[in-house]
Amino acid sequence: NAGVTQTPKFRILKIGQSMTLQCAQDMNHNYMYWYRQDPGMGLKLIYYSVGAGITDKGEVPNGYNVSRSTTEDFPLRLELAAPSQTSVYFCASSYSGMDSPLHFGNGTRLTVT
Amino acid sequence: DQQVKQNSPSLSVQEGRISILNCDYTNSMFDYFLWYKKYPAEGPTFLISISSIKDKNEDGRFTVFLNKSAKHLSLHIVPSQPGDSAVYFCAPSSTQGGSEKLVFGKGTKLTVNP
């Protein structure tokens, strides 16, 4: 039981490049989330999903896109990378939404130069 | 507009003593409060939670207290151990209304000295 797996662990992008951050969970959780954490700050919600085929915006969605074609996977897409997207990205899942704890992956550290 | 404030960025305590981490919130719709612990280069892990219908929840060395009238919660760790050194995030949520927006504080870095 691996929990929540994120790939890659690290990535450096040039301004304007695109990439997809991968997230997979093996706990059969319906709820999945993407957060970013900037230095000295709390985690901010980018997008979330309450089940396959259903996604919604969080607090800071601009510059990102998501899809949820299966229960297990919730990739995050950056289309035109900007320096402001330099951050650590965490994917999380939960059994029943806001009344249950989140299980986090170990994060992807992204630098845009 | 910070809905969640952890006013102490860092805290240093001696091994064996009590650690008290504080969190203040402004949104009266919050009804479920979680604490997460985060080690460097890892994702946050769930530590303990409390529902708004309680004022205290205990799990081993960890106790969370909730004062709804003051919109304040605190995490007590007794006795503190060096392995408790980590960043602790307070994360309230509202379980009503279908919102999936957990709000995280900025965190308090706890250092437990041997």
Side-chain angles (χ1 to χ4, degrees):
Chain A
N1 193 341
V4 178
T5 302
Q6 290 184 241
T7 56
K9 287 185 170 52
F10 305 94
R11 185 72 186 267
I12 299 174
L13 281 182
K14 294 191 186 305
I15 294 171
Q17 286 185 321
S18 301
M19 79 163 293
T20 299
L21 282 68
Q22 301 291 346
C23 175
Q25 53 94 7
D26 61 1
M27 296 172 282
N28 202 33
H29 286 169
N30 280 325
Y31 295 77
M32 295 189 74
Y33 308 84
W34 274 105
Y35 287 89
R36 60 177 285 174
Q37 186 188 17
D38 299 328
M41 303 295 287
L43 282 75
K44 292 190 184 297
L45 182 64
I46 305 171
Y47 270 96
Y48 66 94
S49 170
V50 301
I54 306 169
T55 63
D56 206 348
K57 295 178 181 178
E59 187 180 359
V60 290
N62 290 343
Y64 307 95
N65 277 303
V66 293
S67 59
R68 185 95 181 272
S69 56
T70 66
T71 299
E72 295 77 20
D73 300 298
F74 190 39
L76 178 71
R77 178 82 177 161
L78 284 72
E79 289 295 348
L80 290 170
S84 61
Q85 293 177 305
T86 294
S87 190
V88 181
Y89 292 83
F90 291 101
C91 178
S93 70
S94 76
Y95 173 70
S96 60
M98 287 293 100
D99 61 355
S100 61
L102 301 184
H103 298 257
F104 284 88
N106 282 331
T108 294
R109 184 175 293 275
L110 176 67
T111 302
V112 182
T113 62
Chain B
D1 177 24
Q2 273 188 277
Q3 296 188 68
V4 182
K5 288 185 180 178
Q6 293 180 254
N7 288 322
S8 299
S10 63
L11 176 67
S12 183
V13 301
Q14 285 301 119
E15 181 178 5
R17 306 295 291 268
I18 185 171
S19 296
I20 300 176
L21 293 84
N22 294 303
C23 177
D24 296 293
Y25 62 96
T26 57
N27 191 338
S28 57
M29 297 299 293
F30 290 147
D31 59 0
Y32 187 55
F33 304 86
L34 304 97
W35 285 91
Y36 287 84
K37 179 168 75 172
K38 185 183 181 304
Y39 293 118
E42 294 184 10
T45 55
F46 169 71
L47 184 60
I48 191 169
S49 63
I50 187 166
S51 164
S52 59
I53 62 173
K54 293 185 173 182
D55 55 17
K56 176 183 174 181
N57 189 28
E58 193 171 350
D59 183 2
R61 298 185 296 112
F62 302 91
T63 303
V64 57
F65 296 91
L66 175 62
N67 182 334
K68 281 181 294 184
S69 60
K71 293 189 175 68
H72 176 84
L73 64 156
S74 61
L75 173 68
H76 292 211
I77 306 173
V78 181
S80 300
Q81 298 174 354
D84 296 328
S85 297
V87 177
Y88 290 79
F89 292 99
C90 166
S93 70
S94 171
T95 61
Q96 307 302 314
S99 170
E100 293 301 318
K101 295 172 185 175
L102 194 67
V103 182
F104 283 81
K106 292 183 179 182
T108 296
K109 183 177 182 179
L110 173 66
T111 302
V112 180
N113 301 302

